[in-house]
Amino acid sequence: MEQTALINAIHFLHQKGFAPATSSNYSVRMTGCSDFWVSESGIDKGEFAHTNLINVDSEGAPINDERTTSAETDLHTTLYKLYPDAHCILHTHSIFGTVLSDFITSKRGILLENYELLKAFEGVKTHKTRLYLPIFENTQDIPSLSKNLIAYQAKNTDMRAFLIEGHGIYTWASSVAAAKRQIETIEFLLECAYRKMLLTGQKEIAERLNLLEKRV
Ligand SMILES: [Zn+2]
């Protein structure tokens, strides 16, 4: 059932434009299992089917399967080890995830706070919350990225998601439904952050809008 939920989520994220040109990868781990199911590499996510899920062991090696998984499968194995309660990992390559992670000059992270939609995150009960998305360097050396992730998580145990510079977003949760809510939330809030930046650069227009509001 969780596999079907994952396939539906993959199609949904593709329709939203978050997984162009066969990019992005996803996985689901059943309760009580150390092995998990990860998306096959190079498949158009709009046509993704059950047969495109590959069963891999806790180290990411395919079980009785000749097909190739994404090099980023290593990040899934690392995350499942770091978060024993995680059962689903979603990774998108969206426009806002790509642009903002590349544009932020500090390259350290993006802080999203006081947004109502943050309550869509597992365990979050109030909008008065802070979601910090660290940005990791987009190295093609995934074991080194995994090491950076482990080192960061050791000091920041409240991490719920992260960005890879000019590349995309990762988030994880205890179910496919919860992870899907989280990735939708991040995508929505990154777009909000982007649009806010545009508006900040358009102060005059914003002031005119205020004047119009006063006339009503
Ligand atoms: Zn990727």
Side-chain angles (χ1 to χ4, degrees), residues 25 72 91 93 167:
N25 52 69
E72 289 180 49
H91 167 51
H93 283 210
H167 175 156

Side-chain angles (χ1 to χ4, degrees), residues 78-205:
T78 299
L79 286 169
Y80 282 131
K81 284 176 192 168
L82 289 175
Y83 299 92
D85 293 335
H87 290 287
C88 177
I89 298 169
L90 303 179
H91 167 51
T92 52
H93 283 210
S94 61
I95 290 175
F96 295 104
T98 302
V99 168
L100 286 180
S101 62
D102 192 36
F103 181 76
I104 299 300
T105 46
S106 74
K107 301 289 186 204
R108 278 160 47 201
I110 296 175
L111 178 67
L112 302 167
E113 60 181 342
N114 297 335
Y115 284 107
E116 182 67 21
L117 203 61
L118 286 170
K119 288 195 281 190
F121 264 75
E122 265 191 326
V124 174
K125 298 272 184 281
T126 168
H127 70 284
K128 289 196 177 300
T129 194
R130 294 158 70 91
L131 175 68
Y132 185 71
L133 302 172
I135 301 172
F136 293 95
E137 188 193 340
N138 188 28
T139 169
Q140 299 303 298
D141 180 354
I142 302 297
S144 139
L145 183 52
S146 282
K147 266 188 204 158
N148 293 343
L149 189 60
I150 292 166
Y152 181 87
Q153 196 271 345
K155 290 183 189 157
N156 302 275
T157 50
D158 58 347
M159 177 169 59
R160 314 291 298 271
F162 63 85
L163 294 164
I164 305 177
E165 187 183 344
H167 175 156
I169 303 163
Y170 270 87
T171 194
W172 51 92
S174 66
S175 66
V176 173
K180 178 173 168 267
R181 274 201 311 275
Q182 291 183 187
I183 202 101
E184 272 191 272
T185 299
I186 296 167
E187 296 286 5
F188 176 90
L189 294 180
L190 287 182
E191 184 169 351
C192 287
Y194 174 84
R195 290 177 184 272
K196 237 179 176 176
M197 281 162 59
L198 291 187
L199 282 175
T200 309
Q202 299 289 329
K203 259 198 152 180
E204 252 181 59
I205 294 174

